[in-house]
Amino acid sequence: DVLMTQTPVSLPVSLGGQVSISCRSSQSLVHSDGNTYLHWYLQKPGQSPQLLIYRVSNRFSGVPDRFSGSGSGTDFTLKISRVEPEDLGVYYCLQSTHFPWTFGGGTKLELK
Amino acid sequence: EVQLAESGGGLVQPGRSLKLSCAASGFTFSDYYMAWVRQAPTKGLEWVASISYDGGSTYYRDSVKGRFTISRDNAKSSLYLQMDSLRSEDTATYYCTTDLAYWGQGTLVTVSS
């Protein structure tokens, strides 16, 4: 199975600040079709996960441009600028290149 | 508006069965791969199973292979998860998701005697 290592586990932030979350995979996430199926989700307390970024760097419908994704191969990053209160929660990366699909362990974004 | 509504969760004894359903609306159901993802209490997310557009291909994580069966009825815009030989470690909220983009609110399955 592809191991997804997310860091940090906890990320204190001030409102208006900028943060980065790292996600590293144990093997390349480049699919045989040439695409890289690495996605980012936010799960707010008591809610289901919501898709933020799909295939490394594509913002999902309605996601503000404060969120950006980058990376390639095995090393990926989610950046959040100008953090707002509604951004707080747990962030997960997910790879769907290889079965079984696997999630990172999560990064909890919380106020300092 | 895309809507996914899971149902069928509840308390069940180890070794028993349960069938989850997911009613979809707001999109052309047959155009999407569908999947089940679960989350044990206070834990992270775990992919369970996926199914292709027409149900011809299915995929499972090893821990549920042979015990769980994912299926769909495109005429009814519905996704299912038949869960047999349930174990305590299957206790989780189960989410259905359209190709990992849209997610339902989840249904809680508790396996306990």
Side-chain angles (χ1 to χ4, degrees):
Chain A
D1 298 3
V2 177
L3 178 63
M4 304 296 289
T5 302
Q6 235 181 286
T7 55
V9 172
S10 176
L11 188 50
V13 65
S14 299
L15 296 179
Q18 176 173 301
V19 296
S20 292
I21 300 171
S22 170
C23 182
R24 288 186 172 150
S25 57
S26 60
Q27 59 184 271
S28 174
L29 298 185
V30 180
H31 194 274
S32 56
D33 65 9
N35 290 310
T36 300
Y37 295 94
L38 184 283
H39 322 291
W40 290 96
Y41 294 84
L42 166 60
Q43 187 174 32
K44 300 179 184 180
Q47 296 187 18
S48 53
Q50 57 188 85
L51 178 63
L52 299 172
I53 302 286
Y54 64 96
R55 280 189 273 119
V56 181
S57 59
N58 299 280
R59 272 188 299 278
F60 189 56
S61 175
V63 175
D65 60 7
R66 301 183 291 101
F67 292 87
S68 63
S70 63
S72 63
T74 63
D75 201 349
F76 305 91
T77 302
L78 175 70
K79 288 185 180 176
I80 312 167
S81 59
R82 305 183 305 280
V83 171
E84 298 186 4
E86 58 263 33
D87 301 338
L88 303 180
V90 181
Y91 288 80
Y92 294 95
C93 59
L94 163 69
Q95 69 81 20
S96 60
T97 295
H98 306 284
F99 281 111
W101 297 347
T102 45
F103 289 87
T107 295
K108 187 173 185 178
L109 186 67
E110 51 195 357
L111 286 178
K112 275 184 184 173
Chain B
E1 180 192 3
V2 172
Q3 292 195 350
L4 298 168
E6 302 94 337
S7 61
L11 175 62
V12 61
Q13 293 179 328
R16 304 298 291 265
S17 298
L18 207 59
K19 186 173 184 177
L20 305 183
S21 299
C22 173
S25 61
F27 64 103
T28 304
F29 184 72
S30 57
D31 284 352
Y32 288 84
Y33 263 66
M34 297 294 294
W36 289 97
V37 173
R38 68 185 180 185
Q39 186 170 35
T42 73
K43 300 297 185 184
L45 299 166
E46 181 176 80
W47 169 78
V48 175
S50 294
I51 188 166
S52 61
Y53 313 104
D54 62 355
S57 297
T58 56
Y59 311 87
Y60 301 91
R61 67 179 304 103
D62 283 350
S63 62
V64 308
K65 213 171 285 185
R67 299 189 300 122
F68 289 12
T69 303
I70 188 172
S71 62
R72 65 190 297 161
D73 184 336
N74 285 346
K76 294 183 178 179
S77 296
S78 293
L79 176 72
Y80 307 100
L81 186 67
Q82 176 67 45
M83 304 186 294
D84 299 324
S85 303
L86 282 161
R87 305 168 180 168
S88 57
E89 55 263 37
D90 296 319
T91 294
T93 295
Y94 285 73
Y95 298 101
C96 79
T97 168
T98 70
D99 213 12
L100 302 175
Y102 296 95
W103 295 58
Q105 287 305 301
T107 187
L108 177 61
V109 173
T110 303
V111 184
S112 174
S113 54

